[in-house]
Amino acid sequence: MPTDLPAGSAGPPARTDVSAALLGGKTFRSLSEQTLSPKEEQFERGRQTLGLFLAPAVAVVFALLPVPMDRTQQLLAAVLLAVIILWICEPVPIPVGGLLGVAAIVLLGIAPAGDVLAPFGSTTIFTFIGAFILAQAMLKHGIAQRLAYAVLSFPGVAKSTYRVIVAFGVITCILSAFLSNTATVAMLMPTALGILAVIAELLQDRGVVKPDFDPLRLRLGAALMLMLAYGASVGGLLTPVGSPPNLIGRGLIEEATGERISFAQWMATAAPLCLVMFVVLALIMFLLNKPEIRRLEGVEEYIRKQKALQGRMSRAEVNTLIAFAMTVCLWLLPAAASLVWGTDSAIYNFLDDRLDEGIVAVLGASLLFILPTNWKERRATLTWTDAARIDWGTIILFGTGIIFGSLLSATGLARTIGTAASQNLNVTNFVAITAFAAVLAVLISETTSNTASAAVVVPIVIPLCQAMGIDPMVPALAATFAASFGFMLPVSTPQNAIVYGSGCVPITRMIRTGIAFDVIGALLIIGIIPVMVAATGIGR
């Protein structure tokens, strides 16, 4: 371990409490709360100063430009541009940037306050709240660490940071093919944080990092968190029920073409895309977020000792697992019904309608306040003080993202952008319209929810294809898959927002990694989907 002390130091630097830093529920931190090098601090201050002045300037200039656009749409676009700059440059906390945009929308008369704020009552928001409370219980009672040690105990996994990250990616992809992407990431993130805490402490003990290092700025942590978020998006493409855009796109395509897309056809078409994308994801992740250490010699012995020290599960741990298992089972039940009876069956429709994702999440979270750890003292598994520590900033952040997505659709701005782009880019043939559909879906999904992206882009693409006499199957499927490709910003998908809320992923690192995966992913969709549609005869 390093022993050199800076000039004037009264003693060795204080040792960072890794567990408190990684498992203490921290999210957005200002510059004063971060451990930065002089160059990093200079860059961060410059980025924030630029955003503080650039955001309002861009909004004012765009609002005054003489563009052939409806006035409401122009004002909304001006506000959205300013908010994107605030999100990228972070002169204010990212959730606050979204709230400033929401306030501007109401003040400029783009939409009334009641309509604007309505998405904060959406099912997605309640899914966040319930999932975060469950995750808080897993962290408080040590289940995250217990699961972390269990995963690291698999033969060979604990010997390499690369294997740990890939293992989490594989698990996330498989689960998200049948579970909600949001739910998958929410339930795996505490385990990932537990593993990260174990590895960070080992790095600290062996002198690989300074004693007072910031564990939230490890490249290893960013790679692990981003693998969870992006892996869920990739796995969600595999089945029609894996992600809401899949159901929306399939429904719109079937309605427009009159051709049914079976579960098996969808999986056969999406499987090669998912496989190639996962390989590319791993390569991009390790190239842009190379872990500080590769080999983890001695970790297996360390894990065995820690597992022995944990002993038997406590009553609180058992209660938390009961609430968690019930939530996951109810989340999975509609998907299981679709596999057995099909998505057109009455049983599936009943379960899908009643077992709303958000309601299930808060129901499972509520069990934590009912299941007792000490009945005589009326002590429950979780207190409200514990629950209040969840990441409300991420919830606000994604709520503002839903607001912008709904307004893009309601004001017609998304349709205006799509139509203008298709005309100006001279989209006149099969390849061009497929590329246009994929790229437009990716761009829109970056600033709105992936569900909103599919709901907006697919209805634009299908009539464009029909007007040109082109079969809309391939372009519409390309738009549907690409709608899940919001990798650049925390508001792009719920899973992005969740891992950003861990505090381990700086916005600049998410943007850099997300751009690379957006570009390569769009190219893969454009190249693979036409081939697979021809090979599987999907919809025929």
Side-chain angles (χ1 to χ4, degrees):
M1 185 174 292
T3 57
D4 295 338
L5 301 177
S9 174
R15 182 181 171 92
T16 298
D17 186 340
V18 172
S19 294
L22 289 174
L23 306 179
K26 293 184 179 180
T27 55
F28 178 87
R29 300 176 300 160
S30 62
L31 285 178
S32 62
E33 298 174 287
Q34 301 183 47
T35 303
L36 303 174
S37 69
K39 288 186 177 180
E40 288 176 327
E41 185 170 349
Q42 183 180 8
F43 170 77
E44 293 295 336
R45 290 192 185 281
R47 178 168 65 95
Q48 292 184 344
T49 303
L50 175 66
L52 189 63
F53 293 98
L54 184 62
V58 168
V60 171
V61 170
F62 189 86
L64 296 177
L65 285 176
V67 294
M69 183 184 293
D70 177 82
R71 185 59 181 166
T72 300
Q73 294 180 9
Q74 184 176 2
L75 289 175
L76 176 60
V79 172
L80 186 56
L81 285 172
V83 170
I84 291 173
I85 293 172
L86 292 178
W87 283 338
I88 293 174
C89 296
E90 292 185 283
V92 295
I94 284 187
V96 175
L99 290 177
L100 287 173
V102 171
I105 287 170
V106 177
L107 292 174
L108 292 173
I110 297 172
D115 295 343
V116 171
L117 297 176
F120 272 113
S122 70
T123 183
T124 304
I125 297 299
F126 283 94
T127 301
F128 268 76
I129 293 173
F132 281 0
I133 291 176
L134 285 165
Q136 182 68 23
M138 294 180 72
L139 289 172
K140 176 185 177 181
H141 298 301
I143 293 179
Q145 289 282 33
R146 190 180 290 275
L147 290 175
Y149 293 136
V151 172
L152 286 174
S153 296
F154 292 159
V157 170
K159 293 182 178 180
S160 166
T161 53
Y162 290 81
R163 292 177 189 171
V164 170
I165 294 171
V166 170
F168 264 98
V170 171
I171 294 169
T172 304
C173 278
I174 293 173
L175 290 177
S176 62
F178 302 97
L179 282 174
S180 155
N181 294 347
T182 307
T184 299
V185 174
M187 66 185 180
L188 288 179
M189 190 179 74
T191 307
L193 286 173
I195 287 180
L196 181 58
V198 171
I199 296 176
E201 287 178 350
L202 288 171
L203 294 176
Q204 192 178 44
D205 291 340
R206 297 182 179 184
V208 177
V209 294
K210 295 180 179 179
D212 61 343
F213 82 115
D214 185 352
L216 290 171
R217 292 185 63 82
L218 289 174
R219 294 189 303 272
L220 168 63
L224 187 57
M225 291 296 108
L226 289 175
M227 179 61 85
L228 285 182
Y230 298 171
S233 294
V234 171
L237 301 178
L238 185 60
T239 67
V241 297
S243 181
N246 298 357
L247 292 172
I248 292 173
R250 187 176 73 157
L252 291 170
I253 293 169
E254 289 180 341
E255 182 181 348
T257 63
E259 299 168 346
R260 185 178 180 277
I261 301 175
S262 70
F263 204 96
Q265 284 179 319
W266 183 286
M267 289 191 67
T269 303
L273 177 64
C274 292
L275 180 61
V276 175
M277 283 179 60
F278 184 79
V279 174
V280 170
L281 171 60
L283 293 174
I284 291 176
M285 201 62 65
F286 296 138
L287 286 173
L288 298 183
N289 306 281
K290 186 178 180 180
E292 286 78 3
I293 188 172
R294 181 171 183 174
R295 301 297 300 176
L296 296 174
E297 294 87 355
V299 172
E300 290 177 316
E301 179 62 28
Y302 177 87
I303 297 301
R304 280 193 292 270
K305 290 180 180 178
Q306 293 301 314
K307 288 182 68 176
L309 290 174
Q310 284 181 320
R312 297 181 60 184
M313 294 185 67
S314 66
R315 183 71 236 175
E317 288 179 276
V318 172
N319 289 347
T320 302
L321 285 179
I322 290 173
F324 181 74
M326 190 208 75
T327 305
V328 172
C329 288
L330 292 180
W331 271 335
L332 187 59
L333 200 54
S338 70
L339 291 173
V340 177
W341 293 289
T343 54
D344 296 327
S345 66
I347 294 176
Y348 168 76
N349 289 327
F350 175 82
L351 293 174
D352 189 55
D353 179 58
R354 300 300 176 90
L355 297 180
D356 176 85
E357 183 180 288
I359 297 301
V360 168
V362 296
L363 180 63
S366 298
L367 277 181
L368 297 169
F369 304 96
I370 298 172
L371 296 174
T373 56
N374 188 314
W375 175 248
K376 290 183 178 180
E377 298 178 9
R378 298 301 189 268
R379 186 185 305 159
T381 308
L382 203 66
T383 67
W384 183 248
T385 301
D386 298 323
R389 297 192 182 103
I390 67 172
D391 183 19
W392 294 104
T394 299
I395 293 169
I396 292 173
L397 170 65
F398 199 73
T400 58
I402 297 175
I403 288 172
F404 287 120
S406 63
L407 288 175
L408 274 169
S409 179
T411 61
L413 177 58
R415 186 174 293 275
T416 298
I417 294 172
T419 304
S422 66
Q423 294 172 349
N424 294 329
L425 295 175
N426 193 28
V427 179
T428 57
N429 58 63
F430 174 80
V431 175
I433 196 169
T434 300
F436 167 73
V439 172
L440 182 62
V442 169
L443 291 175
I444 291 181
S445 69
E446 287 296 354
T447 53
T448 69
S449 70
N450 51 7
T451 303
S453 178
V456 168
V457 178
V458 176
I460 294 174
V461 170
I462 290 177
L464 282 176
C465 290
Q466 293 172 334
M468 290 186 287
I470 296 174
D471 185 350
M473 182 63 69
V474 170
L477 277 176
T480 301
F481 286 131
S484 293
F485 273 43
F487 299 116
M488 198 173 72
L489 293 171
V491 295
S492 302
T493 65
Q495 51 269 28
N496 284 15
I498 289 174
V499 299
Y500 177 78
S502 70
C504 296
V505 187
I507 186 68
T508 50
R509 193 169 290 277
M510 178 178 279
I511 290 172
R512 184 177 64 174
T513 309
I515 287 177
F517 200 39
D518 273 345
V519 172
I520 297 178
L523 292 174
L524 289 175
I525 287 177
I526 296 167
I528 293 176
I529 292 301
V531 175
M532 293 312 303
V533 167
T536 62
I538 188 171
R540 291 170 175 80

